[in-house]
DNA sequence: AAAGCTGTGTAACCAATGTTACTGTATAAG
DNA sequence: CTTATACAGTAACATTGGTTACACAGCTTT
C-alpha cells in the first residue's frame, strides 16, 4: 500500500506525510461502473486516487443526469473535500469509470495536516484550482456548444480517460450523461460517422479523427 | 479603512489579521458597471469585498457572454484566489454590479497568512466551497432549466443582489448575460408580464411575484 | 431454431429557441 | 422643435433538439 501511495503522490508530498497517509488511510477498490459516492451521502473521508478514473455526475430533481468531469490518478475530489470541511452532504455522484483504487483519509486528519504540512495545503489549493477550471470548462461546453460539438468533446474526453480510441458505451448511456435523448445521440453519431470522424459498432464507438 | 475592514470581516478574522489587512491592503472603489478584472489579466492582488456587489462573467471565443454568479460583502473571488496561487491569468471578467468598495491584498501575503492564520485558511477554504456551490448552481440552471425558468431566476437573483424589486436593466443586457437574443428575452418577459409575475417599464422591470 | 431482450436506424412530427425584419415610442442630442 | 438613437413589441420564419413510433439486427436464453 505504501508503495502505491508513493507512486502516485511522491512528487507532491514529503516523505513524512506519505508515511502518515499510508498509516491512517484505508485502501478501497471499485469495479468499473461501481458507485463510489451518492448525492446526499454523508461524507466522512476524503479520497485520494491511486489508479483508475472516476466520473463525477450531477443530477436534478427529476433524476436527469449530467456528466461534470473525470478524475484521474493523483487527483482528489474537491467537491468531497469541500463537503468534508463544511460537514455537508455530497452534492454529486461519483462512479468508477475504470477499475479504480483509492485511499480514504479520515476527515479528522484534514485540519491537522492543513496546518502541519505545506505540501498538503498546496495540494488542497491545487485541487480546488483544478476543479474550478473543470467546472468552467463544463459550463463553456453546455453554454456555448451545440449538441454535435458537445458529443465530439464527450467522445474525445472519454477516449482520453480510457486511453483507448475504442469507446465502450451505448447511445443510451451517452444520452444519459449528456442529458439528452437516445434518438438525438444516434442521429448525431450517424452524421459524425458519415463525415468519417468516428466508426460505429454495437456497444462501442471508434474515435478516428482526434 | 480599518473600520470598514472590521465591519465586514470581524466575525471571520482574528484581531491581528484584521490589522495586517488594514496595513498591507489597498482600498479601491468602483462605480456601477465599471470593469474590475478582464479575462486574460495578470492577477497580482486578491480582492476582499467590503461593500457593494460584483458580477462574474464568462466569455467564449466569439465574445458571447454568460453571467456566472454574484459576489457580496464578505466574499472574495475564489477564481482570482485560484489564479493568484497558480500564477495564472484571469479566466473570468468581473464587473461592479453596484458601487463597490474592496480591499486588495498583495499575493505575497497569501502564502504567509495561509500558514500563519487558521482563520485565513478557513476563509480561503470556505470561499472555494462557496464558489464551487455557485458553479454547480450555475450548471444546474443552464443544463436543466428552460429559458423562461432561467429568466425568472435571473430576475430574482438580480433583485436580491440589488436589494430592490425594481431591476434596472434592458432586455438587451439580459440577453447578453444569459447568452441568448434580445427578441427571445422580450418575448418571454411579455409572457411573464401577462401572468402577473412582473411589470415592464422602459429600462427596468418590477419583480412582483417573489 | 424460436423467443425475447437490448441496441441501433430512421421517419415524422412537435416544441423551444434563434433570426430577420419591421414597427413604434421614449429619451437624448442638436 | 427636430432629429437621432436606444429600447421595446411582434410577426414570420429557420434551426435545433426532443418525442413518438416502428423496423430490424445482434445476442442470449430456452
Amino acid at each position: 500500500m505504501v508503495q502505491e501511495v508513493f507512486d502516485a503522490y511522491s512528487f507532491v508530498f514529503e516523505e513524512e506525510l506519505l508515511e502518515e497517509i499510508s498509516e491512517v488511510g484505508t485502501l478501497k477498490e471499485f469495479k468499473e461502473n461501481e458507485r463510489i459516492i451518492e448525492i446526499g451521502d454523508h461524507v466522512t473521508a476524503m479520497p485520494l486516487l491511486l489508479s483508475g478514473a472516476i466520473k463525477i455526475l450531477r443530477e436534478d430533481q427529476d433524476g436527469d443526469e449530467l456528466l461534470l468531469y473525470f478524475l484521474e490518478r493523483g487527483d482528489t475530489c474537491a467537491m468531497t473535500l469541500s463537503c468534508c470541511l463544511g460537514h455537508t452532504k455530497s452534492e454529486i455522484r461519483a462512479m468508477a469509470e475504470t477499475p479504480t483504487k483509492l485511499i480514504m483519509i479520515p476527515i479528522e486528519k484534514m485540519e491537522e495536516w492543513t496546518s502541519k504540512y505545506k505540501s498538503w495545503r498546496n495540494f488542497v489549493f491545487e485541487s480546488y484550482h483544478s476543479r474550478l477550471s473543470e467546472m468552467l470548462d463544463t459550463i463553456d461546453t453546455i453554454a456555448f456548444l451545440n449538441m454535435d460539438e458537445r458529443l465530439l468533446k464527450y467522445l474525445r474526453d472519454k477516449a482520453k480517460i480510457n486511453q483507448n480510441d475504442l469507446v465502450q458505451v451505448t447511445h443510451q448511456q451517452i444520452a444519459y450523461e449528456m442529458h439528452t435523448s437516445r434518438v438525438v445521440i444516434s442521429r448525431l453519431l450517424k452524421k459524425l460517422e458519415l463525415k468519417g470522424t468516428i466508426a460505429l459498432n454495437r456497444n462501442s464507438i471508434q474515435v478516428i479523427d482526434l
Side-chain angles (χ1 to χ4, degrees), chain A residues 2-204:
Chain A
V2 179
Q3 190 53 45
E4 281 168 315
V5 174
F6 187 82
D7 286 347
Y9 291 95
S10 63
F11 293 106
V12 184
F13 299 137
E14 54 250 61
E15 192 77 23
E16 198 187 335
L17 177 52
L18 288 171
E19 279 303 322
E20 273 210 64
I21 291 174
S22 299
E23 271 169 44
V24 303
T26 357
L27 187 69
K28 285 213 178 183
E29 293 193 44
F30 294 90
K31 279 170 286 189
E32 197 173 322
N33 287 319
E34 201 176 346
R35 191 164 298 178
I36 299 173
I37 293 174
E38 184 52 82
I39 295 171
D41 275 6
H42 206 72
V43 179
T44 53
M46 187 187 138
L48 298 180
L49 237 165
L50 298 180
S51 66
I54 295 177
K55 63 183 170 195
I56 306 295
L57 303 150
R58 179 75 169 158
E59 193 178 84
D60 76 350
Q61 321 88 300
D62 308 335
D64 296 329
E65 274 195 350
L66 183 75
L67 173 66
L68 294 181
Y69 51 79
F70 295 104
L71 297 176
E72 292 175 277
R73 176 187 141 125
D75 285 338
T76 187
C77 183
M79 286 295 177
T80 307
L81 200 71
S82 192
C83 291
C84 286
L85 292 164
H87 301 287
T88 54
K89 292 175 181 173
S90 178
E91 306 242 35
I92 48 88
R93 168 180 304 146
M95 295 184 78
E97 169 76 14
T98 63
T100 295
K101 277 189 196 178
L102 38 83
I103 190 163
M104 307 296 284
I105 311 293
I107 48 173
E108 300 84 56
K109 289 289 161 185
M110 299 278 307
E111 176 104 347
E112 186 188 323
W113 290 353
T114 301
S115 42
K116 192 168 166 190
Y117 298 108
K118 187 177 167 183
S119 67
W120 178 256
R121 278 202 301 275
N122 287 340
F123 173 69
V124 170
F125 287 138
E126 177 57 38
S127 297
Y128 273 123
H129 181 67
S130 307
R131 237 32 64 199
L132 278 176
S133 293
E134 293 281 2
M135 295 281 276
L136 266 186
D137 193 55
T138 304
I139 287 176
D140 286 351
T141 303
I142 54 181
F144 300 131
L145 300 186
N146 288 344
M147 270 296 168
D148 51 351
E149 299 170 297
R150 282 181 58 191
L151 178 56
L152 205 51
K153 182 176 180 335
Y154 173 94
L155 291 172
R156 283 175 181 151
D157 289 350
K158 203 96 169 175
K160 194 179 165 213
I161 213 81
N162 287 292
Q163 299 171 308
N164 192 342
D165 288 352
L166 191 69
V167 179
Q168 301 276 350
V169 69
T170 67
H171 300 187
Q172 183 63 70
Q173 175 71 13
I174 299 176
Y176 275 136
E177 297 190 351
M178 288 181 57
H179 184 231
T180 178
S181 80
R182 200 271 309 168
V183 179
V184 170
I185 294 298
S186 292
R187 190 155 63 199
L188 293 174
L189 282 173
K190 189 47 80 179
K191 274 191 194 168
L192 287 175
E193 188 180 40
L194 290 175
K195 279 203 293 181
T197 317
I198 58 173
L200 298 177
N201 322 298
R202 189 186 173 86
N203 293 312
S204 72

